[in-house]
Amino acid sequence: MTIFAVYIINKAGSLIFHYDNVPNREPAQKTFTYPIDIKFRESERLLVHYGEQGDIKVGYALIAVNGTPVNGKLMPDGQKVLDFLGEASNYPVTLQFQLPRPSANERIMLASMFHSLWAIASKLSPERNSSGIEVLEAESFHLHCLHTLTGLKFLLMTDPGQSGVGSLLKKVYEVYADYALKNPFYSLEMPIRCELFDQHLHKLIEQGPLPGSL
């Protein structure tokens, strides 16, 4: 069982800290003939948009062509990858794909979206003083949220079978209070860049929840 990520969002909905603990997966590889039967979506990189097959899923990023890593949407020589794949003379071609980690901009956007969804859930609740979203459950992960009295949100992304997340969230909050808030150089609501906070948080995540904790 695994803790995949930690996110801290300030009361304005801005991401002020993140820690990724997602292990790298082996790339999915396949040799294609012309014309390639995968459609790509362009962002900062080329993502599979249509035509998933085998281990190559929608949302996976193209990371290498014929064993050579690509630079986003460009080949090492500066040629556009899509232009290269559009030439029949370049086939057969072997492509490698991998589930990408969120970029910095994507993390900021996702934090803002969760902040908005949390506020909507609080408004929709039939009970007063709702705690908003505490857990979001998906097939491959659970997203747990601790909302503090000062408006901070601490998020843990975990394996669906992970237990003791509630106590672990409180310990993350304690680490924040001890090593970020007490740092004389840290300003409230701003991105957290405190070495001691990083060290103790990493240690806490590696230890995980105590057996039998809630």
Side-chain angles (χ1 to χ4, degrees), residues 61-94:
L62 177 64
I63 61 171
V65 176
N66 292 329
T68 302
V70 299
N71 181 19
K73 297 177 287 186
L74 301 177
M75 304 286 287
D77 61 1
Q79 182 184 12
K80 292 183 178 180
V81 174
L82 290 181
D83 290 345
F84 178 88
L85 296 178
E87 292 289 337
S89 59
N90 292 325
Y91 288 77
V93 63
T94 300

Side-chain angles (χ1 to χ4, degrees), residues 72-185:
K73 297 177 287 186
L74 301 177
M75 304 286 287
D77 61 1
Q79 182 184 12
K80 292 183 178 180
V81 174
L82 290 181
D83 290 345
F84 178 88
L85 296 178
E87 292 289 337
S89 59
N90 292 325
Y91 288 77
V93 63
T94 300
L95 305 180
Q96 287 185 334
F97 300 83
Q98 195 169 48
L99 181 65
R101 295 178 183 271
S103 66
N105 287 337
E106 288 170 338
R107 289 191 183 97
I108 292 170
M109 179 185 68
L110 291 171
S112 178
M113 289 176 62
F114 180 85
H115 176 77
S116 299
L117 288 173
W118 186 95
I120 292 171
S122 299
K123 292 293 185 181
L124 290 176
S125 173
E127 299 293 335
R128 298 183 62 183
N129 301 319
S130 169
S131 59
I133 297 173
E134 292 186 350
V135 183
L136 282 176
E137 297 184 1
E139 181 180 354
S140 57
F141 71 93
H142 287 177
L143 183 65
H144 302 260
C145 175
L146 171 66
H147 180 248
T148 70
L149 294 176
T150 56
L152 286 177
K153 296 178 182 64
F154 291 80
L155 307 181
L156 284 184
M157 186 184 299
T158 73
D159 183 281
Q162 182 71 60
S163 60
V165 178
S167 62
L168 183 58
L169 271 170
K170 292 177 182 177
K171 290 184 179 296
V172 172
Y173 184 32
E174 291 174 5
V175 169
Y176 165 78
D178 287 340
Y179 299 102
L181 285 185
K182 294 180 182 179
N183 185 323
F185 301 103

Side-chain angles (χ1 to χ4, degrees), residues 184-195:
F185 301 103
Y186 174 64
S187 299
L188 289 176
E189 306 293 318
M190 298 301 291
I192 302 171
R193 297 186 178 91
C194 305
E195 185 175 350

